[in-house]
Amino acid sequence: MSSTDPADLPYCYLTTTGRRTGASHRIEIWFALHAGTVYVLSGGAERSDWVRNLIASPDIEVEIGDSTRATRARVIVPGSDEDVLARRLLVQKYQPGAGEDLSEWGRSSLPIAIDWS
């Protein structure tokens, strides 16, 4: 087993179920892990297929490092404390190595919460 803290890994993988086809769809995405919750941001908001898929069927699979879990995802309530937290965590994690300003991405993306506990 790896000694790397899962929160420090650069990517996680989400597998959703296609809302039309029922087929599995896997994406690689930036994430933040905090207090048993995985946070991700969708730059395409609700237009992203993976977001449309998890809205239709919130049962998903998340892989971080050597761990894979079947869990549930949800869109975070806009303007909530969790909304602010998710955006802050992701921008703080990725801004140092991004090579560009991520503040607009952090403000305009759709935050998603996924149970990891």
Side-chain angles (χ1 to χ4, degrees), residues 29 40-48 50-51 105 108-112:
I29 191 166
V40 297
L41 294 178
S42 171
E46 293 95 347
R47 295 179 313 276
S48 296
W50 67 271
V51 174
W105 169 74
S108 63
S109 295
L110 179 68
I112 305 291

Side-chain angles (χ1 to χ4, degrees), residues 30 91 94-107:
W30 286 354
V91 171
Y94 292 100
Q95 184 59 69
E100 61 183 278
D101 184 6
L102 297 180
S103 57
E104 179 59 29
W105 169 74
R107 277 191 302 275

Side-chain angles (χ1 to χ4, degrees), residues 11-79:
Y11 304 103
C12 75
Y13 298 88
L14 305 181
T15 303
T16 60
T17 301
R19 64 197 177 282
R20 293 187 184 135
T21 65
S24 294
H25 295 276
R26 185 174 190 247
I27 64 163
E28 178 181 85
I29 191 166
W30 286 354
F31 76 102
L33 179 58
H34 177 77
T37 302
V38 175
Y39 293 106
V40 297
L41 294 178
S42 171
E46 293 95 347
R47 295 179 313 276
S48 296
D49 281 335
W50 67 271
V51 174
R52 289 178 180 182
N53 290 344
L54 71 80
I55 289 170
S57 178
D59 294 320
I60 67 167
E61 188 174 274
V62 179
E63 179 184 339
I64 301 175
D66 297 333
S67 296
T68 302
R69 297 184 184 169
T71 187
R72 292 181 65 83
R74 62 184 165 77
V75 175
I76 295 173
V77 175

